[in-house]
Every structure is written in structure tokens, then in C-alpha cells.
Amino acid sequence: MPADTENSADLPRHATDATAPPAPAPRGYRAVFAVREFRAVFAAHLLSLLGVVVSELALTVLVYGLTGSPLLSALAFALGFLPYLVGGTLFAGIADRYPARRVLVTCDLICAGCVTVMVLPGTPVGGLLALRCLIAAVSPIFTGTRMAALTEILGEGERFVLGRSLLRIVSQSALLAGFGVGGVLLAALSPRGAITITAVTFLCSAALLRFGTRARPARSGRDGGGALLGESLAGARSLLQNRRIRALMLLFWTPPLFVVAPEALAAPYADEIGVGPAALGLLMCAMPVGQIAAELYVGTALTPRLRSLIVLPAAATGLLPLMVYGVRPGMVPTVLALVVAGTAGAYVIGLDQWFVEAVPASLRGRAMTLLTAGLMTLQGVGMALAGLAAEFFPVHQVIAGAGAAGSLCVLLLVLEVRRTAP
């Protein structure tokens, strides 16, 4: 309401100065960081993600040190992907059944408890692997609940899309930094010592979420009651039976299924073309660097309408650069192709908005949880299939084939998404 002019003399001088321009409202990513609750979610995400990455690396080293088995060491890392489908499908109802803050804090405390038990000297290798599975099963519930909670913290429009983009950017950055931090910690500490530090990161994340976000009621309108498993499966069935939602989910899932091939086969490809460890590092970093740069540009420079316009073209062409591997190029063309393939990942910014608009609010937590579970599971499947194919075919042909087959699959999905557009 306008100020009462009769009492304007009692106001500070700057409040009545008509010549003073109003402070411009923050826009873009700054508008997202202006929300206090999001800052707490962002910091908690960074801490818990670093904890997961460092614990994965330290656990792999610990298991190898205890057993001397490359298979068990690799299994300790692979178990970070496999249980996602179980947790994200069977327990997705938790994300809508209970208040988001309670779910997020509980998930962090469970992870902190798991890594604390890992630190105990008497924990057997089987126990370490089981605890790794539990953390992986909890992860999609945590991620899905947090994504759904962002629609309440930031709204369902522009700020939500950019907030989710920021969390993706920090995920890619933390993966690059996390392995470096993990390597430094393992050089200074024992594997159990490095894992102890990750317990602290989970506890700090839980504290940030508990005291930095508001308590909100459960999205389903009821706190508990009924069969959780049935509710979770019913939600998944309802989502996947909806043609529009199913098409959008598949468009999220399918490109990562194929795009992981060059990362999964980076070491054997580096050996095939005769380059050293430094070049291997470039091959591993090129795609995340491209995706981070593209997300920042698209989120900052493009309007919501333009972001929507580039979704389908970027998704349809994003895997084509991998076909360069077919001629087994040198390092520079290979790295450039990976950077370009990474930039195409920015299609998900516009796709996020379509997905939120398509999913009913009462199913949003389950939808985000299922989306995360499918994404992580299919990346693990893609890595395994790429490795299996490389047992029978040259590595460069496998990666090029992944680019060709993936492009065909994504093109069919793009046509389906167009047909289901409202």
C-alpha cells in the first residue's frame, strides 16, 4: 500500500525521495541464491555430495587393502549405482508421505550412521558392502525429496528450473573436485580416516537442512498410514502409465545410458591410442566441463522460451559427436567431441520445466525419486554394457556405436515427446 502522505514527514528521508530509483530485483541465478532456504539446501547438497564421492573412493581403497581383490574393490564402487532402482522404486512413497525436511534430515543421519560403522576396525568386508548398498538405496529418496521440495521453496517456474540447474552444476563440479579431495585425504590419512571425515559432512548437511529450511506438511496430505510399498509402486505405475510423463522420463534417461560409454572406456581408449595418465584425465574431465559451461550459459543468457526451444534439437543431436571415435582421432579432436557432447546436456534445463508442469503435485516426490533412480541405474547399466561390448569389439568402435545407436533411440523419443505436447 502507498504510504500515508500526512505522516510522510515521520519517515526517513530516503523513503520519501522520489528521485531514488528502486533497487533492481535479482534475476537469473542471483534470484535463486537470494532465497535463504535455497542457500541452506545448496550448501547441504555440496557437503553430502562431497561426502558420498570421498567415501566411495576411500571405501574402494579400503576394500582392496583388506582383500587384495580387484573384483571386490570394483564392486564396492559399482554398488553406488545398483541399489538406486530398489530404493527409488520400492520406497519412493516416502518422498510424498512424510514432511520433506524430516525425510531429508533422516536420510543424512542414516548415511552418517552407515559411514560411522564403516570406520569401526571390526566391520567385515561383507558389512562394508552392505552399508554401501544402504547408502545407495537412500540416495534416490533423498534426491527426489529435495527436488520436490524445491518446488515449494522456489516455486514451479523460473527459479525452480535455475535452482535445479545449480544443483546439477555443483554435482558435476563436486565429482571433479571430490576425487581430487579424496586423493589428497588418502595421501594424508588412512582410508578409515577419510571415511570419518565424510561422516562429519553428512552431519553438517543434516544440521543445515534441519535449521535452514522450514517445516512443511507432507505433499500427500497424510503423515504415515497405509502400505508404503503399495503406495510407492502405485505411484510409479501411475506415472509410467501417463504417456506424456513416460516420454519425458525416457528423454531424461536415454541419453545418459549411451553417453557414459566414453567415460567407462576412457582408460582402455587411452591405452588404444597410446596416451598417458595426463591425457586420461582430460578424457574424463572434458564432458563435465562442457556440461557445466553450457548449463551456466543457458541458465544465464537464454529466456525460458528459448530454453524450451532448444530441448529437442539438443537432445536429438547430443550423442552425434561420439561418432567421431569411429575414425580413432587424436587427443585434440576427441576432447573437443567430448566437450561438445557435454554441452548438449543443457537440454535438461528446459526439460525440467516440462516435467514439473506434467506431474501432479501429489505425485511430485515419487516422480522425482523415480526419475533419479532410473537415471543412476541406467548409467550403471550403460557402463556395464559398454565394458561388455569392449570385450568383443575395439573400444573406439564401441563408443562410436553408442553414439549412433543412442542418437537413433533419442530421435524416436523426441518424436514421442512432440506428439504428447499439450
Side-chain angles (χ1 to χ4, degrees):
M1 294 178 61
D4 186 348
T5 55
E6 293 181 358
N7 296 325
S8 61
D10 298 328
L11 297 175
R13 180 174 180 81
H14 66 269
T16 59
D17 188 356
T19 63
R27 301 182 62 183
Y29 288 120
R30 287 190 303 164
V32 178
F33 275 119
V35 179
R36 182 186 62 82
E37 282 187 277
F38 178 79
R39 294 197 297 271
V41 171
F42 182 86
H45 174 60
L46 180 59
L47 284 170
S48 62
L49 186 62
L50 283 172
V52 168
V53 174
V54 173
S55 65
E56 284 177 349
L57 183 60
L59 181 61
T60 300
V61 175
L62 176 60
V63 170
Y64 184 72
L66 291 173
T67 65
S69 169
L71 174 61
L72 289 176
S73 177
L75 185 61
F77 190 82
L79 286 175
F81 291 94
L82 300 179
Y84 260 79
L85 185 61
V86 176
T89 303
L90 301 185
F91 304 111
I94 291 174
D96 290 318
R97 173 182 284 212
Y98 300 103
R101 188 175 71 175
R102 187 193 308 174
V103 173
L104 295 174
V105 172
T106 301
C107 287
D108 266 336
L109 293 178
I110 290 173
C111 291
C114 287
V115 295
T116 300
V117 176
M118 287 179 183
V119 172
L120 300 177
T123 305
V125 173
L128 293 173
L129 297 180
L131 291 167
R132 182 73 189 93
C133 282
L134 181 57
I135 293 174
V138 165
S139 293
I141 301 170
F142 180 89
T143 305
T145 303
R146 185 187 60 213
M147 288 300 107
L150 279 185
T151 63
E152 299 170 339
I153 294 172
L154 299 174
E156 299 178 5
E158 171 79 350
R159 288 195 302 184
F160 166 78
V161 172
L162 294 181
R164 185 154 154 76
S165 170
L166 278 171
L167 295 185
R168 263 195 309 272
I169 290 170
V170 80
S171 295
Q172 292 287 344
S173 303
L175 286 174
L176 296 175
F179 287 120
V181 171
V184 171
L185 288 175
L186 289 172
L189 303 170
S190 67
R192 294 188 193 275
I195 293 174
T196 301
I197 292 177
T198 68
V200 176
T201 66
F202 285 122
L203 291 174
C204 291
S205 173
L208 281 167
L209 293 169
R210 172 62 182 80
F211 299 107
T213 61
R214 287 171 43 202
R216 293 179 174 86
R219 272 174 296 277
S220 65
R222 53 187 182 137
D223 190 347
L228 175 61
L229 179 60
E231 185 177 330
S232 300
L233 293 176
R237 185 167 55 250
S238 176
L239 290 166
L240 294 176
Q241 285 177 345
N242 183 297
R243 186 179 176 187
R244 173 68 173 173
I245 295 174
R246 183 175 64 246
L248 294 177
M249 274 195 172
L250 288 172
L251 194 56
F252 274 111
W253 291 342
T254 303
L257 171 65
F258 295 95
V259 85
V260 295
E263 293 181 340
L265 300 176
Y269 181 73
D271 183 62
E272 185 179 277
I273 63 175
V275 295
L280 175 60
L282 285 175
L283 292 174
M284 294 294 289
C285 295
M287 202 178 300
V289 167
Q291 183 169 354
I292 292 169
E295 284 238 15
L296 285 172
Y297 175 77
V298 170
T300 303
L302 301 189
T303 64
R305 180 174 177 273
L306 287 176
R307 289 187 213 126
S308 290
L309 288 176
I310 69 169
V311 170
L312 299 183
T317 59
L319 293 168
L320 292 177
L322 301 187
M323 296 176 67
V324 171
Y325 276 81
V327 297
R328 201 160 63 175
M331 269 298 296
V332 173
T334 301
V335 170
L336 289 176
L338 290 174
V339 170
V340 173
T343 62
Y347 80 95
V348 297
I349 296 184
L351 190 59
D352 279 335
Q353 186 62 54
W354 294 357
F355 191 68
V356 169
E357 292 169 355
V359 175
S362 61
L363 289 173
R364 200 162 284 153
R366 278 165 283 185
M368 295 295 185
T369 303
L370 183 62
L371 180 65
T372 301
L375 182 63
M376 295 301 293
T377 301
L378 287 177
Q379 285 185 82
V381 170
M383 290 179 182
L385 291 176
L388 178 62
E391 291 289 328
F392 303 96
F393 302 98
V395 172
H396 68 282
Q397 292 181 6
V398 172
I399 299 174
S407 296
L408 178 60
C409 292
V410 174
L411 181 59
L412 296 175
L413 276 175
V414 164
L415 296 176
E416 175 68 1
V417 170
R418 287 177 62 89
R419 283 193 291 264
T420 60

